[in-house]
Amino acid sequence: MSSISRVLVIGGGIGGLTAAIALGRKGFSVDVIERDPDWSVYGVGIIQQANVVRAVAELGILDDYVGAGFPFSDIEIYIPSGQRVARFPTPKLTEAYPANVGIGRRALQKVLGDRAVLSGANIRLGVSATRLDDDGTGVDVTLSDGTTGRWDIVVGADGLYSETRKMIFVDSPDPKFVGQSVWRYNFPRPADMDALQIYEGPKGIGLVPLSNELMYLFVTTPEPGNPRYPREGLAAAMRDKLAGSAPAINALADQIVDDDAVVYKPLEMLFLQGDWHKGRIVLLGDAIHATTPHLGQGAGMAIEDSLVLAEELGRADDPETAFTAYRNRRFERCRYIVEASLAICDAQVNGEPVDQSAATRGMFEVVAQPI
Ligand SMILES: Cc1cc2nc3c(=O)[nH]c(=O)nc-3n(C[C@H](O)[C@H](O)[C@H](O)COP(=O)(O)OP(=O)(O)OC[C@H]3O[C@@H](n4cnc5c(N)ncnc54)[C@H](O)[C@@H]3O)c2cc1C
């Protein structure tokens, strides 16, 4: 039986909260610290595919999650003229539910945050860790509010720019800009818009249903040199990026008028080839494998990490054994997602054709495997 009982999770995002839920279900006592005092999340959404729906079911929150999002089965492919050339179902792994869920990031955060608290997690906002001292039997942590505490293990789920990663691996690589950015904007969802819609062409354009009321539009664009776009004028800039698209997309572009509602994000990636833990401190999610969103799997990988980490901690006598087993189970799958996503990105940046259907099929073969 494990001697680990008290866990500190650094970061209250998708990875940190799912870790808190998964660890709480295994009987660990969990504290979560989240740096952002407002716990704010930007207002568009994400796609979660069959493996993620399965993982969410395993976390025991599927009904709340599906209720907060928009379950759907099909993908539609459009050619640049706007003609729909295919509609096909994607395979599901959780029998009673459709294969995919589109969900707003805020809605997801609420489902995960509520359940983490119900699972017993103590969540403190506006707090980060300034010092971690691992003496081999526990970790003494100094927090940014001046308090200190001791935990059996620490989980760094603090995202792409993880300070935990930098504290335990001072020479770890920095995130890398990949030459592309994504522009996103929410719209009311028409009743007949009930599938993920992908528009083929030189830019990656798509529409994602998020709820009964909402959908969002994304466009992925090459951005050599990673230019800065001031907030004022973002809506006009996004309209420009969509100029010359299919008629349905042009009609939506005309409605992009609110600079504050445009979510612009330069795309970055990072993959930690070496260890994912040091002593009693372990990393998960974007802190170790931040992928570009071309396969829609980044958050899914963080959620799966949480389940595997909790499972291994639940059966190991010591953290090292659990952390090593966790990395062994996760490494190849996460590496595949990061590299296959980047391959799509690179092809788009270089103006090469991308067979999105083949890439999606290949991805599904990997993620359909048990975690
Ligand atoms: C444009 C774009 C689109 C995407 N679309 C999808 C998609 O459709 N499907 C999908 O599955 N994934 C998608 N992703 C990926 C997904 O957003 C990430 O993989 C996921 O958010 C990673 O979760 P995380 O918890 O590891 O990190 P984060 O979500 O970054 O959470 C980290 C948390 O830690 C907090 N924090 C940071 N530093 C500290 C600190 N020092 N102390 C305390 N707290 C700290 C942060 O405030 C944050 O709350 C997309 C990503 C991008 C960029």
Side-chain angles (χ1 to χ4, degrees):
M1 186 55 202
S2 173
S3 59
I4 306 154
S5 143
R6 298 191 68 225
V7 183
L8 175 67
V9 175
I10 302 177
I14 296 169
L17 292 175
T18 50
I21 297 167
L23 289 163
R25 282 163 66 87
K26 295 274 178 200
F28 294 97
S29 157
V30 182
D31 293 287
V32 178
I33 53 170
E34 163 56 47
R35 180 174 59 186
D36 181 357
D38 302 320
W39 213 4
S40 51
V41 180
Y42 54 84
V44 282
I46 56 178
I47 306 161
Q48 311 239 269
Q49 304 176 73
N51 61 307
V52 191
V53 177
R54 174 180 63 188
V56 168
E58 218 173 298
L59 278 176
I61 57 173
L62 191 54
D63 285 332
D64 290 352
Y65 163 81
V66 170
F70 188 88
F72 64 93
S73 299
D74 293 355
I75 296 182
E76 294 178 345
I77 307 290
Y78 291 78
I79 53 177
S81 65
Q83 187 192 346
R84 191 174 85 183
V85 290
R87 178 175 171 123
F88 52 87
T90 52
K92 54 183 181 177
L93 298 171
T94 306
E95 207 34 57
Y97 288 90
N100 313 285
V101 172
I103 187 165
R105 284 183 181 263
R106 287 179 185 145
L108 178 58
Q109 164 104 339
K110 173 145 180 41
V111 169
L112 298 180
D114 287 353
R115 188 53 72 104
V117 170
L118 270 179
S119 311
N122 170 36
I123 301 176
R124 293 171 63 186
L125 301 181
V127 179
S128 58
T130 57
R131 196 183 159 115
L132 305 172
D133 290 310
D134 178 352
D135 64 11
T137 57
V139 188
D140 290 310
V141 183
T142 307
L143 300 172
S144 56
D145 60 4
T147 60
T148 55
R150 183 173 173 84
W151 284 269
D152 296 322
I153 59 166
V154 172
V155 178
D158 44 353
L160 180 63
Y161 283 88
S162 168
E163 287 175 3
T164 315
R165 181 181 68 237
K166 279 291 172 200
M167 280 194 245
I168 60 172
F169 300 126
V170 282
D171 295 326
S172 60
D174 289 324
K176 187 177 133 215
F177 174 63
V178 298
Q180 268 189 337
S181 297
V182 176
W183 306 71
R184 289 166 290 173
Y185 202 85
N186 283 341
F187 293 95
R189 185 185 66 83
D192 60 353
M193 192 285 181
D194 60 355
L196 170 65
Q197 299 182 353
I198 300 290
Y199 284 74
E200 289 183 336
K203 293 173 191 164
I205 297 177
L207 285 167
V208 184
L210 289 183
S211 69
N212 283 336
E213 294 78 31
L214 278 184
M215 64 178 186
Y216 80 94
L217 168 69
F218 66 84
V219 54
T220 310
T221 55
E223 300 290 343
N226 196 7
R228 296 283 152 220
Y229 289 89
R231 177 138 298 282
E232 195 180 336
L234 265 188
M238 185 170 177
R239 286 198 304 274
D240 279 352
K241 300 288 176 183
L242 290 164
S245 303
I249 299 297
N250 283 341
L252 289 172
D254 288 344
Q255 298 168 46
I256 298 175
V257 290
D258 181 357
D259 291 335
D260 289 331
V262 175
V263 181
Y264 174 74
K265 183 104 178 109
L267 296 182
E268 297 170 283
M269 58 81 64
L270 176 136
F271 186 74
L272 216 53
Q273 297 283 354
D275 287 342
W276 288 2
H277 78 278
K278 187 169 181 190
R280 291 178 163 260
I281 303 163
V282 68
L283 302 169
L284 66 70
D286 275 13
I288 30 172
H289 47 68
T291 178
T292 63
H294 298 80
L295 290 170
Q297 280 285 351
M301 290 302 104
I303 297 170
E304 289 183 353
D305 283 354
S306 296
L307 283 166
V308 173
L309 180 62
E311 204 175 295
E312 294 298 340
L313 282 166
R315 64 174 164 221
D317 292 332
D318 64 284
E320 291 273 350
T321 306
F323 295 164
T324 303
Y326 151 73
R327 179 184 176 281
N328 288 345
R329 282 175 65 185
R330 299 298 300 151
F331 187 87
E332 276 309 319
R333 190 177 179 103
C334 295
R335 187 188 59 76
Y336 170 85
I337 291 296
V338 171
E339 290 182 358
S341 303
L342 191 60
I344 300 174
C345 171
D346 286 345
Q348 286 177 347
V349 168
N350 296 327
E352 294 159 7
V354 176
D355 187 341
Q356 189 75 41
S357 308
T360 304
R361 269 198 311 278
M363 178 266 293
F364 194 77
E365 274 171 30
V366 173
V367 298
Q369 301 303 315
I371 56 174

